[in-house]
Amino acid sequence: MLAMVAPTTAGPKKNKKESKTEERYQEIDNYDFLYTGGEYDFDNSYSYNFDVVSMENVMDEAFSHLGARYRHGAKGPYAFDCSGFTSYVYGQIGVQLSPSSRDQYASNMPISNRELQRGDLVFFSGRSGRGGVGHVGIVVDVDEHTGSFNFIHASVSRGVMVNNSNEAYYRSRYIGARRVK
């Protein structure tokens, strides 16, 4: 698993694209023996097969919105509802997801909890508890020993934040996971 580089506040402020590119080059410098020949084009590196670089783009984009407020029906970038958040994040790397959590659940590839990995979509029933899909988030990481996972999502009460699947509220409402196709 790749470690996330924490943003620093010291020094001159860089734009988002410069910061992401610099972090990727720092990461590659650690493994430069694996790469031979010319420059690697990060801007064209992602595709629907979600390699490591594009999944880092998904995570970078998702975490850049931590603390953004929740607003029903909002699709970003300053406020989101849950499915607006997931569709916005994936949209920033060129992957179109429906702005509906039910459609995201229905149209992406079902996976078991044993298959969960970073970037997968996780679904929960709504607050009414009627059982249908009512909430969606993006997996941040998975504990291989317990199967629990952290996920980033737009929560009604606190906006974009990270929670754990073992928290009672989410554990009792978990429906399943999907891999973005």
Side-chain angles (χ1 to χ4, degrees):
M1 178 185 273
L2 298 173
M4 290 185 60
V5 177
T8 61
T9 56
K13 187 163 178 117
K14 296 178 181 169
N15 71 38
K16 190 175 178 181
K17 186 173 182 174
E18 288 173 332
S19 294
K20 286 181 184 180
T21 301
E22 185 176 294
E23 287 175 16
R24 287 187 198 103
Y25 277 117
Q26 288 173 352
E27 183 177 314
I28 288 176
D29 283 345
N30 292 330
Y31 300 97
D32 59 358
F33 61 91
L34 296 175
Y35 301 96
T36 58
E39 287 289 311
Y40 187 76
D41 183 3
F42 289 107
D43 293 330
N44 293 317
S45 64
Y46 51 81
S47 66
Y48 284 94
N49 68 355
F50 296 119
D51 58 16
V52 173
V53 173
S54 64
M55 198 46 60
E56 286 303 311
N57 290 344
V58 168
M59 291 295 111
D60 287 347
E61 185 63 38
F63 276 92
S64 75
H65 298 286
L66 268 177
R69 66 190 172 98
Y70 180 93
R71 190 172 71 221
H72 181 74
K75 308 295 181 231
Y78 305 109
F80 300 94
D81 67 6
C82 65
S83 56
F85 175 69
T86 55
S87 63
Y88 181 86
V89 167
Y90 271 95
Q92 296 307 296
I93 67 159
V95 177
Q96 299 305 309
L97 295 180
S98 165
S100 159
S101 58
R102 287 179 194 92
D103 288 348
Q104 289 178 15
Y105 184 79
S107 64
N108 287 290
M109 184 174 67
I111 57 171
S112 72
N113 287 355
R114 291 184 317 274
E115 298 172 289
L116 265 181
Q117 62 187 7
R118 193 172 201 196
D120 288 335
L121 300 176
V122 285
F123 296 87
F124 305 87
S125 62
R127 294 188 309 173
S128 67
R130 290 188 220 151
V133 172
H135 192 66
V136 60
I138 302 171
V139 173
V140 173
D141 57 20
V142 180
D143 183 323
E144 295 176 13
H145 301 292
T146 66
S148 70
F149 54 89
N150 291 312
F151 61 101
I152 188 167
H153 63 118
S155 99
V156 172
S157 61
R158 299 187 53 208
V160 176
M161 62 183 298
V162 176
N163 285 98
N164 185 276
S165 62
N166 276 340
E167 294 172 36
Y169 181 85
Y170 296 105
R171 185 176 58 241
S172 67
R173 289 174 170 78
Y174 181 66
I175 293 174
R178 298 292 188 258
R179 181 143 309 138
V180 174
K181 303 190 226 187

